[in-house]
Amino acid sequence: MGLRFEIVAEDKATRARAGLLHTPHGIVETPVFMPVGTAGTVKGMTQAQLEELGVQILLANTYHLYLRPGHEIIRELGGLHRFIGWPHSILTDSGGFQVMSLKSLGRVTEDGVWFKSHLDGSSHFLSPERAVEVQVVLGADIIMTLDECVEYPSSHEALHRAVKLTGRWAGRAKEKLSALSSQPSTSGGAGGWGLGTREAPLVANTPPAANETQASKQSPITNHQSPIPSAQQSTIDKGQSSIPSPQPLAPSPSLFGVVQGGVDKDLRRESAEGLLELDFEGYAVGGLSVGEPKAEMYEVAEYTAQLLPRHRPRYLMGVGTPEDLVECVARGIDMFDCVMPTRNARNGCVFTSQGKVIIKNAKYARDESPLDPACKCPVCRRYSRSYIRHLLVAGEMLGAILTTQHNLHFYIDMMREIRQSLLSGAFAEFHSRVRAGP
Amino acid sequence: MGLRFEIVAEDKATRARAGLLHTPHGIVETPVFMPVGTAGTVKGMTQAQLEELGVQILLANTYHLYLRPGHEIIRELGGLHRFIGWPHSILTDSGGFQVMSLKSLGRVTEDGVWFKSHLDGSSHFLSPERAVEVQVVLGADIIMTLDECVEYPSSHEALHRAVKLTGRWAGRAKEKLSALSSQPSTSGGAGGWGLGTREAPLVANTPPAANETQASKQSPITNHQSPIPSAQQSTIDKGQSSIPSPQPLAPSPSLFGVVQGGVDKDLRRESAEGLLELDFEGYAVGGLSVGEPKAEMYEVAEYTAQLLPRHRPRYLMGVGTPEDLVECVARGIDMFDCVMPTRNARNGCVFTSQGKVIIKNAKYARDESPLDPACKCPVCRRYSRSYIRHLLVAGEMLGAILTTQHNLHFYIDMMREIRQSLLSGAFAEFHSRVRAGP
């Protein structure tokens, strides 16, 4: 397995630690914030600009890349790193979160999840095995097991069901990855990623009536609406029903398990213990930042982090604000991702040392100062609030480009500061400074 | 006056020449292509990326900047160079072309042009004096006289009227600039750009009935629809009706006259001779590339260029394709601007050494090669056609960013090659190579 996680500093007062994550595509300094490159691009940024910002690892969304351009095309083009021109580390999610957020979600069964494409309405099936398979084809350095995400608030019963299903899926994902790792590539690659042609295609050729019935017996988790995929819908991708064995793309990806359980500590413990038996290379805390009170989010993040082995990286999914990042580093988290800096940027909301600034506000029309007078990023060194406001008001691309560049710099730079303070033993001071606010 | 134009090489076989245009913001190597930064931004490019491409001069549209954010705001923020973070040369157009392309154009009178904003329908008046005044406030290095653009084809009478009106407007523009130059700034700036408070505001407070009637008597050019600006429309900017005297922003801008006359050589001669008497610092060829056959465009460009003094820069407005640029350099043109490389880029049309490529075409979905295998631009060094196609199909900003960067590189690099060939005496060879096609 390809991942080595080295802890280089630990805070005495908190659970914060600084580490080095060695992936097949380089070293990632932790704690780390991973910008979200949904469709293989961090919206508005060139890869060179990301490198200039010091980004060491990107997150890409399996769901989006699977639907467009399609993982098979990305495989043909040499894998995701090569396809997007990013020779550094990449983490892909399992696709589960997007699928389960879809309004046209079919059903969650024991086997996996039926869903309809948001692009063309075509029906697809995502299983724990298939999520691994697609991610292996994409060739990310770190891949995630398929988990069941439930909304907040949910009943104890629903949460418990999700914990159990997520645990079973984690086992199946791990098995699938082992099978792929040991299976010789039929294309002749040495010890590579041969993908079995026996695997059911992700695009359904028949409605899954039999599986569905069986799944319902095994598991009651079928409380979602269940549009039955029609034969018409399912024919769109027939050409893919027999998957050719791929060339080996990269060294074995590292698989992370996802702890679920909402804000219920007992369920978090049950979920974590189940995953620990499977021994993953890293662990994610999922199902947080979905609407629960912030204090609960912090508490559960801390509680869950404590349950995880010290020598494995811990990834808090989908979090969060700059304050969240500092608070959760203090609680033992090493990795973060969130659309907040990039999405907010496109909406004209920028992060500064003095708090958020809504740059479209008329009061900035004549403001000569940079987005953040304390910031040293390329945007703040060159452009004024008035200009950036003008660009956003006029709908010019450069507005979103500059706010995105600035916001990502803000996040990346803050993580650098956190890490530096951990290395120099000043994290407690940094932590209280952030808590005190601007 | 601030412009010095130095000819450093002349082709023996053609009328092509290479020069150095010394502006208050640097040296521009000619022949030059000026990327269009309509609203103070070349769509999708950062200023740093333009610098990396070797861009030495930008064109900005007075019409757009006057309407949004407003030239007064740009003055307050230190002028256009500072506002957009571009310390190099800038040329602004007069606003006339946009105004006369507007569907809601009011009327062209002897005094100037009434028009309605495409943003909010408010009524505005643009005169030759006002065009100079606004451009002086913006602070560009090179500014243009207001001219009357007529469509193709037009009657000889309409063309002749436009030539005469353009000539009278050119005289008024020149006078206005002289008046501004000699007028001491009331803000105490040394020999600066005091703008008279007596000047009629660009936003009308009363319908121009009297002027209109008078103008109609003087000139029959009132064949446009004439929506009378209502009092309600005209109140939107009342606060600007008394213009404060500005701080001096930059050394005196250089004013270019615009030769009109359609494809009629006699009219071109009449237009050029009228302007030559006024002695401008440079001359533009306007009213071409508006639908006339290409051969006529080349012929008229060459004919007009010959009428102009050797020691003044010649600017062919709104032209053109890569081939047009080479052909018109051969005919004696020094400066070009066109939205083609940037607009085409956003529509997925890229220029390559092998001709145009419509990158969204399905046949590029699996194409690993760069946009242009012969290109050394940052885009072609890093990204594949398949990736860029994916980005454009997915509507990702990075698609337009990369195609724009590539197309601008193609144009800028071609101008560099043209110039090099002029300096080394190999232009004829370059010219025939381009004519032979890929």
Side-chain angles (χ1 to χ4, degrees):
Chain A
M1 302 253 176
L3 202 72
R4 188 159 63 86
F5 182 57
E6 198 182 333
I7 294 172
V8 295
E10 286 176 293
D11 187 46
K12 285 171 190 160
T14 68
R15 303 186 188 279
R17 68 249 192 103
L20 294 171
L21 196 56
H22 301 258
T23 86
H25 286 86
I27 295 173
V28 177
E29 294 168 317
T30 67
V32 66
F33 175 78
M34 303 180 282
V36 178
T38 300
T41 164
V42 177
K43 292 184 194 306
M45 291 290 95
T46 68
Q47 274 62 315
Q49 285 168 332
L50 294 170
E51 285 169 344
E52 281 161 29
L53 290 172
V55 174
Q56 296 170 340
I57 180 168
L58 288 185
L59 179 143
N61 289 124
T62 295
Y63 168 81
H64 290 89
L65 293 170
Y66 159 74
L67 289 180
R68 187 169 59 192
H71 60 300
E72 290 299 333
I73 282 187
I74 293 174
R75 160 159 55 187
E76 283 177 39
L77 293 160
L80 191 54
H81 293 87
R82 188 161 166 198
F83 179 63
I84 73 171
W86 182 254
H88 319 291
S89 302
I90 299 177
L91 178 149
T92 45
D93 61 8
S94 68
F97 184 77
Q98 275 79 26
V99 161
M100 295 187 205
S101 314
L102 285 178
K103 284 179 185 159
S104 58
L105 173 66
R107 56 199 146 216
V108 180
T109 71
E110 180 67 27
D111 261 11
V113 193
W114 282 96
F115 66 98
K116 291 192 172 191
S117 161
H118 74 288
L119 296 175
D120 62 7
S122 56
S123 286
H124 303 258
F125 185 69
L126 186 63
S127 66
E129 291 84 3
R130 188 60 171 153
V132 165
E133 191 178 54
V134 172
Q135 290 180 87
V136 164
V137 164
L138 291 174
D141 301 281
I142 299 173
I143 68 177
M144 307 298 299
T145 57
L146 184 67
D147 58 333
E148 191 195 0
C149 320
V150 291
E151 57 189 11
Y152 176 87
S154 284
S155 68
H156 184 271
E157 192 197 350
L159 280 171
H160 199 190
R161 257 186 348 232
V163 162
K164 287 178 143 173
L165 186 64
T166 296
R168 290 191 297 270
W169 283 358
R172 284 165 54 187
K174 187 124 200 277
E175 265 180 41
K176 178 69 189 177
L177 185 62
S178 302
L180 289 175
S181 306
S182 59
Q183 196 174 338
S185 163
T186 56
S187 311
W193 291 100
L195 298 191
T197 53
R198 290 149 300 175
E199 198 59 41
L202 187 42
V203 174
N205 288 320
T206 52
N211 275 353
E212 165 58 15
T213 311
Q214 190 185 21
S216 297
K217 282 180 192 161
Q218 290 176 355
S219 161
I221 315 172
T222 50
N223 55 342
H224 302 278
Q225 289 195 332
S226 302
I228 297 202
S230 73
Q232 196 191 355
Q233 288 166 340
S234 59
T235 55
I236 59 149
D237 263 349
K238 264 190 175 165
Q240 287 189 17
S241 62
S242 176
I243 300 165
S245 294
Q247 291 287 348
L249 293 174
S252 164
S254 298
L255 182 63
F256 280 27
V258 184
V259 183
Q260 287 289 351
V263 295
D264 185 310
K265 289 186 181 172
D266 291 338
L267 291 181
R268 286 281 170 185
R269 173 173 294 276
E270 180 180 333
S271 180
E273 285 174 351
L275 296 177
L276 289 179
E277 281 176 27
L278 296 166
D279 189 21
F280 286 95
E281 294 197 70
Y283 296 88
V285 184
L288 285 182
S289 205
V290 290
E292 75 283 356
K294 191 136 284 192
E296 284 199 74
M297 192 264 271
Y298 291 163
E299 201 178 325
V300 173
E302 179 161 29
Y303 180 81
T304 310
Q306 282 182 70
L307 302 171
L308 301 172
R310 176 181 168 274
H311 60 292
R312 298 289 195 209
R314 303 161 186 164
Y315 162 29
L316 180 55
M317 302 178 87
V319 173
T321 66
E323 296 72 28
D324 291 343
L325 268 54
V326 180
E327 291 301 338
C328 293
V329 165
R331 286 161 175 80
I333 301 295
D334 307 301
M335 303 166 69
F336 301 88
D337 81 286
C338 193
V339 295
M340 189 174 281
T342 42
R343 182 175 292 167
N344 278 15
R346 296 194 301 282
N347 294 328
C349 172
V350 296
F351 294 96
T352 80
S353 56
Q354 301 301 304
K356 280 194 251 182
V357 168
I358 309 301
I359 202 67
K360 277 200 203 174
N361 195 308
K363 73 179 169 186
Y364 300 118
R366 291 169 162 82
D367 191 336
E368 291 195 87
S369 56
L371 292 177
D372 182 356
C375 178
K376 303 254 184 296
C377 83
V379 179
C380 289
R381 284 200 308 263
R382 184 159 202 161
Y383 306 99
S384 65
R385 290 176 173 184
S386 59
Y387 180 56
I388 293 169
R389 176 183 185 274
H390 160 65
L391 294 172
L392 288 167
V393 168
E396 288 286 348
M397 272 193 282
L398 186 57
I401 291 169
L402 297 181
T403 52
T404 301
Q405 203 174 354
H406 168 82
N407 276 0
L408 280 180
H409 177 272
F410 188 88
Y411 268 63
I412 302 292
D413 201 53
M414 193 187 68
M415 297 312 277
R416 247 189 314 250
E417 264 198 88
I418 290 175
R419 193 167 193 279
Q420 276 309 314
S421 73
L422 283 166
L423 296 179
S424 68
F427 179 73
E429 192 193 319
F430 180 87
H431 189 194
S432 22
R433 190 147 42 88
V434 171
R435 281 194 164 169
Chain B
M1 303 257 179
L3 202 71
R4 188 158 64 86
F5 182 56
E6 198 183 333
I7 294 173
V8 295
E10 286 176 292
D11 186 45
K12 284 169 191 160
T14 69
R15 303 185 188 282
R17 67 249 193 103
L20 294 170
L21 196 57
H22 300 259
T23 86
H25 286 87
I27 295 173
V28 177
E29 294 169 316
T30 66
V32 66
F33 176 79
M34 302 180 284
V36 178
T38 299
T41 165
V42 176
K43 293 184 194 302
M45 291 289 95
T46 68
Q47 274 62 314
Q49 285 168 331
L50 294 171
E51 285 168 345
E52 281 161 29
L53 290 172
V55 174
Q56 296 170 340
I57 181 168
L58 287 186
L59 179 143
N61 289 124
T62 295
Y63 168 82
H64 289 90
L65 292 169
Y66 159 74
L67 289 180
R68 189 169 59 190
H71 59 301
E72 290 299 334
I73 282 186
I74 293 174
R75 160 158 57 187
E76 283 176 40
L77 293 161
L80 191 54
H81 292 87
R82 188 162 166 197
F83 179 63
I84 72 171
W86 181 255
H88 318 292
S89 302
I90 299 177
L91 178 148
T92 44
D93 61 7
S94 68
F97 184 78
Q98 275 78 27
V99 160
M100 296 186 203
S101 315
L102 284 178
K103 283 179 187 161
S104 58
L105 172 66
R107 57 202 144 211
V108 179
T109 71
E110 181 66 26
D111 262 12
V113 193
W114 281 96
F115 66 97
K116 291 193 172 190
S117 160
H118 73 288
L119 296 175
D120 62 7
S122 56
S123 286
H124 302 259
F125 185 69
L126 186 63
S127 66
E129 292 83 3
R130 188 59 171 154
V132 165
E133 191 178 54
V134 173
Q135 290 180 85
V136 164
V137 164
L138 292 175
D141 301 281
I142 299 173
I143 68 176
M144 307 299 297
T145 58
L146 185 66
D147 57 333
E148 192 195 359
C149 320
V150 291
E151 56 190 10
Y152 176 88
S154 284
S155 67
H156 184 272
E157 191 196 350
L159 281 170
H160 199 190
R161 252 181 1 225
V163 162
K164 287 177 143 175
L165 186 64
T166 296
R168 290 191 297 272
W169 283 0
R172 285 165 56 186
K174 188 123 200 279
E175 265 181 41
K176 179 67 189 179
L177 185 62
S178 301
L180 290 175
S181 305
S182 59
Q183 198 175 337
S185 165
T186 57
S187 311
W193 291 99
L195 299 190
T197 53
R198 290 148 299 174
E199 197 60 40
L202 186 44
V203 174
N205 287 320
T206 53
N211 275 353
E212 164 58 14
T213 311
Q214 193 185 17
S216 299
K217 281 178 194 163
Q218 290 176 356
S219 159
I221 317 172
T222 51
N223 55 342
H224 302 278
Q225 290 196 334
S226 301
I228 298 201
S230 73
Q232 198 190 355
Q233 287 166 338
S234 60
T235 54
I236 59 150
D237 262 349
K238 262 190 174 164
Q240 287 188 19
S241 62
S242 176
I243 300 165
S245 294
Q247 292 288 349
L249 293 175
S252 163
S254 298
L255 183 63
F256 280 26
V258 183
V259 183
Q260 286 290 349
V263 294
D264 185 309
K265 288 186 183 174
D266 291 340
L267 291 181
R268 286 282 169 185
R269 173 174 293 275
E270 179 180 334
S271 180
E273 285 174 351
L275 296 177
L276 290 179
E277 281 176 27
L278 295 166
D279 189 21
F280 286 96
E281 293 196 68
Y283 296 88
V285 184
L288 285 183
S289 205
V290 291
E292 74 284 354
K294 192 137 281 192
E296 284 200 75
M297 193 264 270
Y298 290 163
E299 200 178 326
V300 172
E302 179 161 32
Y303 181 81
T304 310
Q306 283 182 68
L307 301 170
L308 301 172
R310 175 179 169 276
H311 60 291
R312 298 289 194 210
R314 303 162 186 163
Y315 161 30
L316 179 55
M317 302 177 86
V319 174
T321 66
E323 296 73 27
D324 290 344
L325 268 55
V326 180
E327 292 300 338
C328 294
V329 165
R331 285 159 174 81
I333 301 295
D334 307 301
M335 304 167 68
F336 301 88
D337 81 284
C338 192
V339 294
M340 189 174 282
T342 42
R343 182 174 293 165
N344 278 15
R346 296 195 301 281
N347 295 325
C349 171
V350 296
F351 294 96
T352 79
S353 56
Q354 301 302 303
K356 280 195 248 182
V357 168
I358 309 301
I359 201 68
K360 277 197 202 175
N361 194 308
K363 73 178 169 187
Y364 301 118
R366 291 171 161 82
D367 191 336
E368 290 195 87
S369 56
L371 291 178
D372 183 355
C375 178
K376 302 254 185 295
C377 85
V379 179
C380 289
R381 284 200 309 264
R382 185 160 201 160
Y383 306 100
S384 65
R385 291 175 172 185
S386 58
Y387 180 56
I388 293 170
R389 175 182 187 274
H390 160 66
L391 295 172
L392 287 167
V393 169
E396 289 286 347
M397 273 193 282
L398 187 56
I401 291 169
L402 297 180
T403 51
T404 301
Q405 203 174 354
H406 168 81
N407 276 0
L408 281 179
H409 177 272
F410 188 88
Y411 268 62
I412 303 292
D413 200 52
M414 193 187 67
M415 298 312 277
R416 246 189 314 250
E417 264 199 88
I418 290 176
R419 194 167 193 278
Q420 276 309 313
S421 73
L422 283 166
L423 296 179
S424 68
F427 179 73
E429 192 195 319
F430 181 86
H431 190 195
S432 21
R433 190 146 42 89
V434 171
R435 280 193 168 171

